[in-house]
Amino acid sequence: MRIAILSRNANLYSTKRLKEAAVHRGHSVDVVDTMHCYMDVTSSRPSVRYMGKALPKYDAVIPRIGASVTFYGTSVVRQFEMMGTFSINESVAISRSRDKLRSLQLLSRKGIGMPRTGFANRPDKIDDLIKNVGGAPVVIKLLEGTQGIGVVLADTQKAAESIIEAFMGLKADILVQEFIKEAGGSDIRCLVVGGKVIAAMKRQAAEGEFRSNLHRGGKATVVRLSPLERKTAVDAAKTMGLNMCGVDLLRSNNGPVVMEVNSSPGLEGIESATGKDVAGMVIEFIEKNAKPNKTRTRGKG
């Protein structure tokens, strides 16, 4: 097979591992910088051009698109879909997952466990917004934040009101969520591929920190999932329409709750924690499913 990995940096761990795994299994692989692609949008012969030439026909593409380039990145993926190329994650599904509010609304519609959440831009009654998610302490998130950036824990009502007012002054869209204290500063990252959890790790926040992101100093260890946790992760991936994703869960007193569904999960932490060849399993899924023109939209909303 001929596979393209859409990535802005060929030296990133995840990009290198996916390429190594594909080459090891006998495939031809090109790493293509998403932002240097440009498109010939025609009804008869759509193409993607790169470095002054039309890119060759690929059997599959693996989008590794950062949140900051979602709009253009999904446009490139959509162009490949128009050309009949199989994408492990389709453009519509990536767009769903990148919009935090949209993804939470879709999960809510499917009855998937999640923290009580409020969404606002300029609420007239900030105290009511906070009360509706259970009161302080609350977690306040910028809608566009990634890797724990733009996520603040407000311990008191006054602190929550001050933070929300500050974000309002920036004209920022925010999410206000109940704080799951019993999670103890940890979460679970489930790596879902093809409707199965192929690996899972527990991430524990550094001392004095409530965000468990590895980029924020969190530590990763292997974890055993309950059947309900496994089902929740699979249902969340299915709701988003994603073939490959990381689903972040918290263990609450009311069962597992989904915090986020990541359409471009990093592989380094989970491969290190579990010792599993996650990249190889991703390539194996592509081998079994990459068929020409298999680009129908999955999921709804």
Side-chain angles (χ1 to χ4, degrees), residues 187-191 199-201 203 246-249 262 265-266 270:
D187 73 357
I188 296 171
R189 162 61 62 91
C190 303
L191 207 295
M201 64 178 174
R203 301 182 297 190
V247 180
D248 296 339
L249 304 176
N262 189 327
I270 203 159

Side-chain angles (χ1 to χ4, degrees), residues 59-99:
D59 298 293
V61 295
I62 304 174
R64 301 292 306 173
I65 296 168
S68 63
V69 297
T70 298
F71 176 78
Y72 194 79
T74 52
S75 298
V76 174
V77 175
R78 189 159 55 247
Q79 187 77 358
F80 278 111
E81 292 169 349
M82 289 171 60
M83 295 160 60
T85 302
F86 175 80
S87 176
I88 190 167
N89 280 336
E90 62 167 10
S91 56
V92 173
I94 296 170
S95 296
R96 281 191 200 104
S97 67
R98 285 291 162 78
D99 184 331

Side-chain angles (χ1 to χ4, degrees), residues 18 26-27 50 70 84 96 98 129 155 177 215 221 230 274:
L18 288 165
H27 305 299
Y50 189 73
T70 298
R96 281 191 200 104
R98 285 291 162 78
L129 175 65
D155 289 311
Q177 291 185 317
H215 292 87
T221 55
R230 194 173 294 273
T274 64

Side-chain angles (χ1 to χ4, degrees), residues 46-198:
S47 66
V48 177
R49 299 186 66 81
Y50 189 73
M51 307 293 280
K53 298 179 181 179
L55 285 172
K57 175 68 174 177
Y58 290 108
D59 298 293
V61 295
I62 304 174
R64 301 292 306 173
I65 296 168
S68 63
V69 297
T70 298
F71 176 78
Y72 194 79
T74 52
S75 298
V76 174
V77 175
R78 189 159 55 247
Q79 187 77 358
F80 278 111
E81 292 169 349
M82 289 171 60
M83 295 160 60
T85 302
F86 175 80
S87 176
I88 190 167
N89 280 336
E90 62 167 10
S91 56
V92 173
I94 296 170
S95 296
R96 281 191 200 104
S97 67
R98 285 291 162 78
D99 184 331
K100 285 190 176 75
L101 177 63
R102 181 183 183 188
S103 60
L104 287 172
Q105 287 172 324
L106 293 173
L107 294 171
S108 173
R109 188 165 70 187
K110 290 295 183 180
I112 295 171
M114 50 186 277
R116 291 180 64 182
T117 303
F119 171 68
N121 180 273
R122 300 188 64 82
D124 295 320
K125 295 281 288 180
I126 294 175
D127 59 335
D128 188 60
L129 175 65
I130 297 167
K131 185 178 76 173
N132 268 333
V133 299
V138 293
V139 177
I140 302 166
K141 299 180 179 180
L142 284 175
L143 204 59
E144 302 297 326
T146 60
Q147 297 178 353
I149 299 170
V151 180
V152 183
L153 173 62
D155 289 311
T156 67
Q157 177 82 15
K158 286 295 183 184
E161 290 177 1
S162 296
I163 293 166
I164 291 171
E165 286 171 356
F167 282 147
M168 284 171 57
L170 297 172
K171 295 182 171 57
D173 294 322
I174 56 169
L175 293 174
V176 180
Q177 291 185 317
E178 74 173 302
F179 176 55
I180 309 297
K181 184 178 180 180
E182 58 268 27
S186 69
D187 73 357
I188 296 171
R189 162 61 62 91
C190 303
L191 207 295
V192 181
V193 175
K196 296 179 181 178
V197 178
I198 63 167

